[in-house]
Amino acid sequence: MAKICIIKTSSLGDVLHCLPALTDAQKALGNVQFDWVVEENFAEIPAWHSAVNQVIPIAIRRWRKQLFTKQTYQQWHAYKQQLQAHRYDAVIDAQGLIKSALFATRLARGEKFGYDRKSIREPLASCFYDKTFAIDYQQHAVERIRQLFAQSLGYALPESKGDYGIVQHFQQSYSSKPYIIFVHATTRADKHWLDSEWKKLAEKITSLDLEVRLPWGNEKEKQRAEWIAQGLPNMLVLPKSSLTELAQQLANAKAVVSVDTGLAHLTAALDVPNITLYGATNPKLIGCYGKNQYYLHKGSMVEICVEDVLEQLQKSFKTKKCDK
């Protein structure tokens, strides 16, 4: 059995973008198993895929805040022991950063593969690989990673669209009322849609006897969700949830409306109809990749109106019916 180590540590969307390459390798090679080095906050994700044997959490973000403590030293030592417990047939650095190369790829035992210096975000990182590959930047991140895996492991890249391979991990459940999820929160202010527009959209959707569910990740996001829901029927502000719990909610939604953020990519990985709003970013290279994905792309977020979103939602409902 081929045993491969993947280095893809963060962030949420980037980690998800790695999954279709695992599905490709699993189908092409059959008897293959992956260990995956990933930031502790995203350690739930690799375990959703059937090709992953072991998740190796790393905590660079947390460790650098408390570098010289005994606890950090002990955790770093335990991490190195886990990473170096096996010699791998291949170590693939899909992150392409100096920190991933220094703190993970360099330490893993086995032949190391990655992007060449013209195809990588931080060219110095390519010095840590035994073999490098030229992979065009002008394509979606999912396709770049699929090509990196195919060239590293020596199989032909499938012509079909990438498959995340995690839908079957989440059980289908049936709500008494079909619901739509609003992914309203993101870290960058220029990616936000106006709260008043979310409120108007909620009014329109709930009038159709559909429920709207609102996830959140911190107190500020919770307050926004509660403001959007206030005074409207068929609104549910979800409890604080793990990634797995959120994925279960998303997997069973009729549709999702989202800003450009990690949970939008999670929705795409679950093949759920998703209308993603782009104003500050361009979806060409890092947009939501998958089935039933719809982009609303304007010059800025304030240019996106409720009517645009409703039109796309109606299209997604019709497409979903046709698929059935």
PDB file of all heavy atoms in Angstrom, residues 82-115:
ATOM      1  N   GLN A  82       4.994  12.204  15.870  1.00  0.00           N
ATOM      2  CA  GLN A  82       3.891  11.672  15.073  1.00  0.00           C
ATOM      3  C   GLN A  82       4.192  11.778  13.582  1.00  0.00           C
ATOM      4  O   GLN A  82       3.964  10.826  12.819  1.00  0.00           O
ATOM      5  CB  GLN A  82       2.599  12.438  15.402  1.00  0.00           C
ATOM      6  CG  GLN A  82       1.349  11.838  14.751  1.00  0.00           C
ATOM      7  CD  GLN A  82       0.083  12.597  15.108  1.00  0.00           C
ATOM      8  OE1 GLN A  82       0.115  13.670  15.712  1.00  0.00           O
ATOM      9  NE2 GLN A  82      -1.061  12.036  14.718  1.00  0.00           N
ATOM     10  N   LEU A  83       4.740  12.921  13.157  1.00  0.00           N
ATOM     11  CA  LEU A  83       5.046  13.132  11.739  1.00  0.00           C
ATOM     12  C   LEU A  83       6.136  12.192  11.252  1.00  0.00           C
ATOM     13  O   LEU A  83       6.093  11.709  10.105  1.00  0.00           O
ATOM     14  CB  LEU A  83       5.466  14.593  11.523  1.00  0.00           C
ATOM     15  CG  LEU A  83       5.887  14.998  10.108  1.00  0.00           C
ATOM     16  CD1 LEU A  83       4.767  14.756   9.105  1.00  0.00           C
ATOM     17  CD2 LEU A  83       6.321  16.461  10.081  1.00  0.00           C
ATOM     18  N   GLN A  84       7.116  11.899  12.109  1.00  0.00           N
ATOM     19  CA  GLN A  84       8.270  11.112  11.690  1.00  0.00           C
ATOM     20  C   GLN A  84       8.151   9.627  12.046  1.00  0.00           C
ATOM     21  O   GLN A  84       9.103   8.873  11.886  1.00  0.00           O
ATOM     22  CB  GLN A  84       9.536  11.702  12.314  1.00  0.00           C
ATOM     23  CG  GLN A  84       9.814  13.114  11.813  1.00  0.00           C
ATOM     24  CD  GLN A  84      11.039  13.748  12.449  1.00  0.00           C
ATOM     25  OE1 GLN A  84      11.430  13.411  13.574  1.00  0.00           O
ATOM     26  NE2 GLN A  84      11.649  14.693  11.745  1.00  0.00           N
ATOM     27  N   ALA A  85       6.962   9.206  12.458  1.00  0.00           N
ATOM     28  CA  ALA A  85       6.762   7.803  12.835  1.00  0.00           C
ATOM     29  C   ALA A  85       6.830   6.856  11.644  1.00  0.00           C
ATOM     30  O   ALA A  85       7.110   5.671  11.801  1.00  0.00           O
ATOM     31  CB  ALA A  85       5.418   7.644  13.540  1.00  0.00           C
ATOM     32  N   HIS A  86       6.586   7.368  10.436  1.00  0.00           N
ATOM     33  CA  HIS A  86       6.608   6.540   9.226  1.00  0.00           C
ATOM     34  C   HIS A  86       7.509   7.169   8.176  1.00  0.00           C
ATOM     35  O   HIS A  86       7.685   8.388   8.137  1.00  0.00           O
ATOM     36  CB  HIS A  86       5.201   6.411   8.622  1.00  0.00           C
ATOM     37  CG  HIS A  86       4.189   5.857   9.567  1.00  0.00           C
ATOM     38  ND1 HIS A  86       4.088   4.514   9.862  1.00  0.00           N
ATOM     39  CD2 HIS A  86       3.219   6.477  10.292  1.00  0.00           C
ATOM     40  CE1 HIS A  86       3.105   4.330  10.724  1.00  0.00           C
ATOM     41  NE2 HIS A  86       2.566   5.500  11.005  1.00  0.00           N
ATOM     42  N   ARG A  87       8.049   6.306   7.323  1.00  0.00           N
ATOM     43  CA  ARG A  87       8.706   6.802   6.119  1.00  0.00           C
ATOM     44  C   ARG A  87       7.685   6.716   4.991  1.00  0.00           C
ATOM     45  O   ARG A  87       7.140   5.647   4.720  1.00  0.00           O
ATOM     46  CB  ARG A  87       9.958   5.989   5.776  1.00  0.00           C
ATOM     47  CG  ARG A  87      10.655   6.540   4.542  1.00  0.00           C
ATOM     48  CD  ARG A  87      12.042   5.965   4.322  1.00  0.00           C
ATOM     49  NE  ARG A  87      12.691   6.670   3.226  1.00  0.00           N
ATOM     50  CZ  ARG A  87      13.347   7.822   3.334  1.00  0.00           C
ATOM     51  NH1 ARG A  87      13.473   8.384   4.531  1.00  0.00           N
ATOM     52  NH2 ARG A  87      13.884   8.413   2.289  1.00  0.00           N
ATOM     53  N   TYR A  88       7.441   7.829   4.325  1.00  0.00           N
ATOM     54  CA  TYR A  88       6.384   7.904   3.317  1.00  0.00           C
ATOM     55  C   TYR A  88       6.927   7.639   1.912  1.00  0.00           C
ATOM     56  O   TYR A  88       8.099   7.922   1.610  1.00  0.00           O
ATOM     57  CB  TYR A  88       5.717   9.281   3.363  1.00  0.00           C
ATOM     58  CG  TYR A  88       4.956   9.529   4.644  1.00  0.00           C
ATOM     59  CD1 TYR A  88       5.500  10.312   5.668  1.00  0.00           C
ATOM     60  CD2 TYR A  88       3.694   8.985   4.843  1.00  0.00           C
ATOM     61  CE1 TYR A  88       4.809  10.541   6.843  1.00  0.00           C
ATOM     62  CE2 TYR A  88       2.985   9.209   6.023  1.00  0.00           C
ATOM     63  CZ  TYR A  88       3.552   9.982   7.013  1.00  0.00           C
ATOM     64  OH  TYR A  88       2.865  10.195   8.183  1.00  0.00           O
ATOM     65  N   ASP A  89       6.077   7.089   1.080  1.00  0.00           N
ATOM     66  CA  ASP A  89       6.439   6.901  -0.332  1.00  0.00           C
ATOM     67  C   ASP A  89       6.529   8.249  -1.046  1.00  0.00           C
ATOM     68  O   ASP A  89       7.255   8.381  -2.036  1.00  0.00           O
ATOM     69  CB  ASP A  89       5.392   6.018  -1.029  1.00  0.00           C
ATOM     70  CG  ASP A  89       5.346   4.630  -0.417  1.00  0.00           C
ATOM     71  OD1 ASP A  89       6.345   3.900  -0.555  1.00  0.00           O
ATOM     72  OD2 ASP A  89       4.325   4.270   0.205  1.00  0.00           O
ATOM     73  N   ALA A  90       5.789   9.226  -0.565  1.00  0.00           N
ATOM     74  CA  ALA A  90       5.863  10.578  -1.123  1.00  0.00           C
ATOM     75  C   ALA A  90       5.354  11.564  -0.076  1.00  0.00           C
ATOM     76  O   ALA A  90       4.447  11.249   0.705  1.00  0.00           O
ATOM     77  CB  ALA A  90       5.027  10.691  -2.396  1.00  0.00           C
ATOM     78  N   VAL A  91       5.962  12.742  -0.074  1.00  0.00           N
ATOM     79  CA  VAL A  91       5.512  13.850   0.763  1.00  0.00           C
ATOM     80  C   VAL A  91       5.168  14.989  -0.196  1.00  0.00           C
ATOM     81  O   VAL A  91       6.037  15.478  -0.914  1.00  0.00           O
ATOM     82  CB  VAL A  91       6.602  14.309   1.756  1.00  0.00           C
ATOM     83  CG1 VAL A  91       6.108  15.494   2.583  1.00  0.00           C
ATOM     84  CG2 VAL A  91       7.036  13.152   2.654  1.00  0.00           C
ATOM     85  N   ILE A  92       3.896  15.403  -0.224  1.00  0.00           N
ATOM     86  CA  ILE A  92       3.447  16.422  -1.172  1.00  0.00           C
ATOM     87  C   ILE A  92       3.095  17.690  -0.410  1.00  0.00           C
ATOM     88  O   ILE A  92       2.178  17.704   0.409  1.00  0.00           O
ATOM     89  CB  ILE A  92       2.224  15.942  -1.985  1.00  0.00           C
ATOM     90  CG1 ILE A  92       2.556  14.640  -2.720  1.00  0.00           C
ATOM     91  CG2 ILE A  92       1.784  17.018  -2.973  1.00  0.00           C
ATOM     92  CD1 ILE A  92       1.361  14.041  -3.449  1.00  0.00           C
ATOM     93  N   ASP A  93       3.837  18.771  -0.686  1.00  0.00           N
ATOM     94  CA  ASP A  93       3.553  20.064  -0.069  1.00  0.00           C
ATOM     95  C   ASP A  93       2.632  20.848  -1.005  1.00  0.00           C
ATOM     96  O   ASP A  93       3.083  21.452  -1.984  1.00  0.00           O
ATOM     97  CB  ASP A  93       4.839  20.836   0.189  1.00  0.00           C
ATOM     98  CG  ASP A  93       4.603  22.116   0.991  1.00  0.00           C
ATOM     99  OD1 ASP A  93       3.455  22.600   1.003  1.00  0.00           O
ATOM    100  OD2 ASP A  93       5.562  22.627   1.590  1.00  0.00           O
ATOM    101  N   ALA A  94       1.346  20.831  -0.711  1.00  0.00           N
ATOM    102  CA  ALA A  94       0.367  21.559  -1.520  1.00  0.00           C
ATOM    103  C   ALA A  94       0.150  22.972  -1.003  1.00  0.00           C
ATOM    104  O   ALA A  94      -0.636  23.719  -1.578  1.00  0.00           O
ATOM    105  CB  ALA A  94      -0.962  20.794  -1.531  1.00  0.00           C
ATOM    106  N   GLN A  95       0.842  23.351   0.069  1.00  0.00           N
ATOM    107  CA  GLN A  95       0.693  24.686   0.652  1.00  0.00           C
ATOM    108  C   GLN A  95       1.572  25.693  -0.076  1.00  0.00           C
ATOM    109  O   GLN A  95       1.136  26.789  -0.392  1.00  0.00           O
ATOM    110  CB  GLN A  95       1.044  24.656   2.138  1.00  0.00           C
ATOM    111  CG  GLN A  95       0.624  25.920   2.888  1.00  0.00           C
ATOM    112  CD  GLN A  95      -0.875  25.956   3.158  1.00  0.00           C
ATOM    113  OE1 GLN A  95      -1.468  24.959   3.506  1.00  0.00           O
ATOM    114  NE2 GLN A  95      -1.477  27.121   2.985  1.00  0.00           N
ATOM    115  N   GLY A  96       2.837  25.330  -0.271  1.00  0.00           N
ATOM    116  CA  GLY A  96       3.736  26.194  -1.029  1.00  0.00           C
ATOM    117  C   GLY A  96       4.214  27.422  -0.291  1.00  0.00           C
ATOM    118  O   GLY A  96       4.499  28.452  -0.911  1.00  0.00           O
ATOM    119  N   LEU A  97       4.338  27.331   1.026  1.00  0.00           N
ATOM    120  CA  LEU A  97       4.831  28.449   1.814  1.00  0.00           C
ATOM    121  C   LEU A  97       6.110  28.046   2.546  1.00  0.00           C
ATOM    122  O   LEU A  97       6.342  26.868   2.809  1.00  0.00           O
ATOM    123  CB  LEU A  97       3.784  28.877   2.848  1.00  0.00           C
ATOM    124  CG  LEU A  97       2.445  29.373   2.310  1.00  0.00           C
ATOM    125  CD1 LEU A  97       1.503  29.692   3.473  1.00  0.00           C
ATOM    126  CD2 LEU A  97       2.617  30.598   1.429  1.00  0.00           C
ATOM    127  N   ILE A  98       6.916  29.030   2.910  1.00  0.00           N
ATOM    128  CA  ILE A  98       8.156  28.751   3.639  1.00  0.00           C
ATOM    129  C   ILE A  98       7.835  28.088   4.979  1.00  0.00           C
ATOM    130  O   ILE A  98       8.501  27.140   5.394  1.00  0.00           O
ATOM    131  CB  ILE A  98       8.966  30.044   3.848  1.00  0.00           C
ATOM    132  CG1 ILE A  98       9.461  30.579   2.500  1.00  0.00           C
ATOM    133  CG2 ILE A  98      10.146  29.793   4.780  1.00  0.00           C
ATOM    134  CD1 ILE A  98      10.066  31.963   2.557  1.00  0.00           C
ATOM    135  N   LYS A  99       6.781  28.561   5.659  1.00  0.00           N
ATOM    136  CA  LYS A  99       6.471  27.987   6.980  1.00  0.00           C
ATOM    137  C   LYS A  99       6.024  26.528   6.858  1.00  0.00           C
ATOM    138  O   LYS A  99       6.374  25.698   7.703  1.00  0.00           O
ATOM    139  CB  LYS A  99       5.427  28.817   7.719  1.00  0.00           C
ATOM    140  CG  LYS A  99       4.033  28.799   7.159  1.00  0.00           C
ATOM    141  CD  LYS A  99       3.076  29.594   8.048  1.00  0.00           C
ATOM    142  CE  LYS A  99       1.652  29.534   7.498  1.00  0.00           C
ATOM    143  NZ  LYS A  99       0.707  30.312   8.342  1.00  0.00           N
ATOM    144  N   SER A 100       5.280  26.186   5.805  1.00  0.00           N
ATOM    145  CA  SER A 100       4.875  24.783   5.638  1.00  0.00           C
ATOM    146  C   SER A 100       6.082  23.914   5.301  1.00  0.00           C
ATOM    147  O   SER A 100       6.189  22.779   5.756  1.00  0.00           O
ATOM    148  CB  SER A 100       3.792  24.648   4.561  1.00  0.00           C
ATOM    149  OG  SER A 100       4.269  25.025   3.283  1.00  0.00           O
ATOM    150  N   ALA A 101       6.993  24.479   4.507  1.00  0.00           N
ATOM    151  CA  ALA A 101       8.201  23.739   4.152  1.00  0.00           C
ATOM    152  C   ALA A 101       9.110  23.537   5.359  1.00  0.00           C
ATOM    153  O   ALA A 101       9.654  22.448   5.575  1.00  0.00           O
ATOM    154  CB  ALA A 101       8.954  24.472   3.050  1.00  0.00           C
ATOM    155  N   LEU A 102       9.252  24.583   6.184  1.00  0.00           N
ATOM    156  CA  LEU A 102      10.149  24.516   7.337  1.00  0.00           C
ATOM    157  C   LEU A 102       9.607  23.622   8.452  1.00  0.00           C
ATOM    158  O   LEU A 102      10.331  22.810   9.022  1.00  0.00           O
ATOM    159  CB  LEU A 102      10.366  25.927   7.899  1.00  0.00           C
ATOM    160  CG  LEU A 102      11.507  26.762   7.315  1.00  0.00           C
ATOM    161  CD1 LEU A 102      11.457  28.160   7.906  1.00  0.00           C
ATOM    162  CD2 LEU A 102      12.859  26.123   7.579  1.00  0.00           C
ATOM    163  N   PHE A 103       8.344  23.776   8.755  1.00  0.00           N
ATOM    164  CA  PHE A 103       7.785  23.133   9.943  1.00  0.00           C
ATOM    165  C   PHE A 103       7.074  21.818   9.657  1.00  0.00           C
ATOM    166  O   PHE A 103       6.624  21.142  10.587  1.00  0.00           O
ATOM    167  CB  PHE A 103       6.840  24.094  10.657  1.00  0.00           C
ATOM    168  CG  PHE A 103       7.516  25.354  11.112  1.00  0.00           C
ATOM    169  CD1 PHE A 103       7.064  26.600  10.689  1.00  0.00           C
ATOM    170  CD2 PHE A 103       8.621  25.302  11.947  1.00  0.00           C
ATOM    171  CE1 PHE A 103       7.696  27.758  11.103  1.00  0.00           C
ATOM    172  CE2 PHE A 103       9.260  26.458  12.375  1.00  0.00           C
ATOM    173  CZ  PHE A 103       8.803  27.699  11.944  1.00  0.00           C
ATOM    174  N   ALA A 104       6.968  21.442   8.391  1.00  0.00           N
ATOM    175  CA  ALA A 104       6.303  20.178   8.081  1.00  0.00           C
ATOM    176  C   ALA A 104       7.056  19.394   7.001  1.00  0.00           C
ATOM    177  O   ALA A 104       7.592  18.325   7.277  1.00  0.00           O
ATOM    178  CB  ALA A 104       4.860  20.442   7.644  1.00  0.00           C
ATOM    179  N   THR A 105       7.137  19.926   5.795  1.00  0.00           N
ATOM    180  CA  THR A 105       7.744  19.175   4.682  1.00  0.00           C
ATOM    181  C   THR A 105       9.171  18.750   5.000  1.00  0.00           C
ATOM    182  O   THR A 105       9.554  17.598   4.779  1.00  0.00           O
ATOM    183  CB  THR A 105       7.729  20.027   3.398  1.00  0.00           C
ATOM    184  OG1 THR A 105       6.424  20.583   3.220  1.00  0.00           O
ATOM    185  CG2 THR A 105       8.121  19.194   2.189  1.00  0.00           C
ATOM    186  N   ARG A 106       9.961  19.672   5.494  1.00  0.00           N
ATOM    187  CA  ARG A 106      11.374  19.389   5.803  1.00  0.00           C
ATOM    188  C   ARG A 106      11.511  18.243   6.800  1.00  0.00           C
ATOM    189  O   ARG A 106      12.443  17.445   6.728  1.00  0.00           O
ATOM    190  CB  ARG A 106      12.016  20.667   6.361  1.00  0.00           C
ATOM    191  CG  ARG A 106      13.462  20.525   6.812  1.00  0.00           C
ATOM    192  CD  ARG A 106      13.964  21.851   7.371  1.00  0.00           C
ATOM    193  NE  ARG A 106      13.260  22.245   8.578  1.00  0.00           N
ATOM    194  CZ  ARG A 106      13.606  21.901   9.811  1.00  0.00           C
ATOM    195  NH1 ARG A 106      14.656  21.107  10.010  1.00  0.00           N
ATOM    196  NH2 ARG A 106      12.921  22.339  10.851  1.00  0.00           N
ATOM    197  N   LEU A 107      10.583  18.138   7.740  1.00  0.00           N
ATOM    198  CA  LEU A 107      10.683  17.156   8.818  1.00  0.00           C
ATOM    199  C   LEU A 107      10.152  15.780   8.431  1.00  0.00           C
ATOM    200  O   LEU A 107      10.560  14.767   9.015  1.00  0.00           O
ATOM    201  CB  LEU A 107       9.919  17.662  10.045  1.00  0.00           C
ATOM    202  CG  LEU A 107      10.389  18.991  10.636  1.00  0.00           C
ATOM    203  CD1 LEU A 107       9.427  19.448  11.718  1.00  0.00           C
ATOM    204  CD2 LEU A 107      11.799  18.853  11.196  1.00  0.00           C
ATOM    205  N   ALA A 108       9.236  15.726   7.473  1.00  0.00           N
ATOM    206  CA  ALA A 108       8.630  14.451   7.083  1.00  0.00           C
ATOM    207  C   ALA A 108       9.656  13.565   6.389  1.00  0.00           C
ATOM    208  O   ALA A 108      10.510  14.047   5.640  1.00  0.00           O
ATOM    209  CB  ALA A 108       7.436  14.699   6.173  1.00  0.00           C
ATOM    210  N   ARG A 109       9.558  12.268   6.598  1.00  0.00           N
ATOM    211  CA  ARG A 109      10.503  11.317   6.017  1.00  0.00           C
ATOM    212  C   ARG A 109       9.933  10.758   4.714  1.00  0.00           C
ATOM    213  O   ARG A 109       8.866  10.159   4.694  1.00  0.00           O
ATOM    214  CB  ARG A 109      10.776  10.182   7.006  1.00  0.00           C
ATOM    215  CG  ARG A 109      11.402  10.665   8.319  1.00  0.00           C
ATOM    216  CD  ARG A 109      11.376   9.584   9.382  1.00  0.00           C
ATOM    217  NE  ARG A 109      12.124   8.406   8.955  1.00  0.00           N
ATOM    218  CZ  ARG A 109      11.779   7.164   9.243  1.00  0.00           C
ATOM    219  NH1 ARG A 109      10.677   6.922   9.944  1.00  0.00           N
ATOM    220  NH2 ARG A 109      12.505   6.157   8.832  1.00  0.00           N
ATOM    221  N   GLY A 110      10.679  10.973   3.613  1.00  0.00           N
ATOM    222  CA  GLY A 110      10.248  10.497   2.310  1.00  0.00           C
ATOM    223  C   GLY A 110      10.602  11.504   1.228  1.00  0.00           C
ATOM    224  O   GLY A 110      11.000  12.638   1.516  1.00  0.00           O
ATOM    225  N   GLU A 111      10.483  11.086  -0.035  1.00  0.00           N
ATOM    226  CA  GLU A 111      10.786  11.977  -1.155  1.00  0.00           C
ATOM    227  C   GLU A 111       9.743  13.088  -1.205  1.00  0.00           C
ATOM    228  O   GLU A 111       8.543  12.843  -1.099  1.00  0.00           O
ATOM    229  CB  GLU A 111      10.783  11.192  -2.472  1.00  0.00           C
ATOM    230  CG  GLU A 111      11.339  11.992  -3.638  1.00  0.00           C
ATOM    231  CD  GLU A 111      11.515  11.153  -4.900  1.00  0.00           C
ATOM    232  OE1 GLU A 111      10.877  10.082  -4.980  1.00  0.00           O
ATOM    233  OE2 GLU A 111      12.279  11.564  -5.779  1.00  0.00           O
ATOM    234  N   LYS A 112      10.232  14.326  -1.412  1.00  0.00           N
ATOM    235  CA  LYS A 112       9.372  15.500  -1.266  1.00  0.00           C
ATOM    236  C   LYS A 112       9.056  16.131  -2.623  1.00  0.00           C
ATOM    237  O   LYS A 112       9.949  16.320  -3.459  1.00  0.00           O
ATOM    238  CB  LYS A 112      10.048  16.505  -0.335  1.00  0.00           C
ATOM    239  CG  LYS A 112      10.276  15.939   1.072  1.00  0.00           C
ATOM    240  CD  LYS A 112      11.201  16.789   1.901  1.00  0.00           C
ATOM    241  CE  LYS A 112      11.340  16.258   3.323  1.00  0.00           C
ATOM    242  NZ  LYS A 112      11.886  14.890   3.413  1.00  0.00           N
ATOM    243  N   PHE A 113       7.781  16.487  -2.818  1.00  0.00           N
ATOM    244  CA  PHE A 113       7.296  17.027  -4.080  1.00  0.00           C
ATOM    245  C   PHE A 113       6.574  18.350  -3.833  1.00  0.00           C
ATOM    246  O   PHE A 113       5.910  18.533  -2.811  1.00  0.00           O
ATOM    247  CB  PHE A 113       6.318  16.051  -4.742  1.00  0.00           C
ATOM    248  CG  PHE A 113       6.895  14.696  -5.040  1.00  0.00           C
ATOM    249  CD1 PHE A 113       6.918  13.704  -4.062  1.00  0.00           C
ATOM    250  CD2 PHE A 113       7.431  14.399  -6.287  1.00  0.00           C
ATOM    251  CE1 PHE A 113       7.439  12.439  -4.327  1.00  0.00           C
ATOM    252  CE2 PHE A 113       7.961  13.152  -6.556  1.00  0.00           C
ATOM    253  CZ  PHE A 113       7.971  12.166  -5.580  1.00  0.00           C
ATOM    254  N   GLY A 114       6.691  19.259  -4.820  1.00  0.00           N
ATOM    255  CA  GLY A 114       5.990  20.539  -4.691  1.00  0.00           C
ATOM    256  C   GLY A 114       6.075  21.338  -5.970  1.00  0.00           C
ATOM    257  O   GLY A 114       6.604  20.881  -6.995  1.00  0.00           O
ATOM    258  N   TYR A 115       5.552  22.552  -5.925  1.00  0.00           N
ATOM    259  CA  TYR A 115       5.574  23.453  -7.082  1.00  0.00           C
ATOM    260  C   TYR A 115       6.988  23.991  -7.304  1.00  0.00           C
ATOM    261  O   TYR A 115       7.760  24.157  -6.354  1.00  0.00           O
ATOM    262  CB  TYR A 115       4.635  24.638  -6.847  1.00  0.00           C
ATOM    263  CG  TYR A 115       3.199  24.274  -6.597  1.00  0.00           C
ATOM    264  CD1 TYR A 115       2.654  24.338  -5.304  1.00  0.00           C
ATOM    265  CD2 TYR A 115       2.364  23.885  -7.633  1.00  0.00           C
ATOM    266  CE1 TYR A 115       1.320  24.018  -5.066  1.00  0.00           C
ATOM    267  CE2 TYR A 115       1.034  23.566  -7.399  1.00  0.00           C
ATOM    268  CZ  TYR A 115       0.519  23.628  -6.129  1.00  0.00           C
ATOM    269  OH  TYR A 115      -0.788  23.306  -5.891  1.00  0.00           O
TER     270      TYR A 115
END
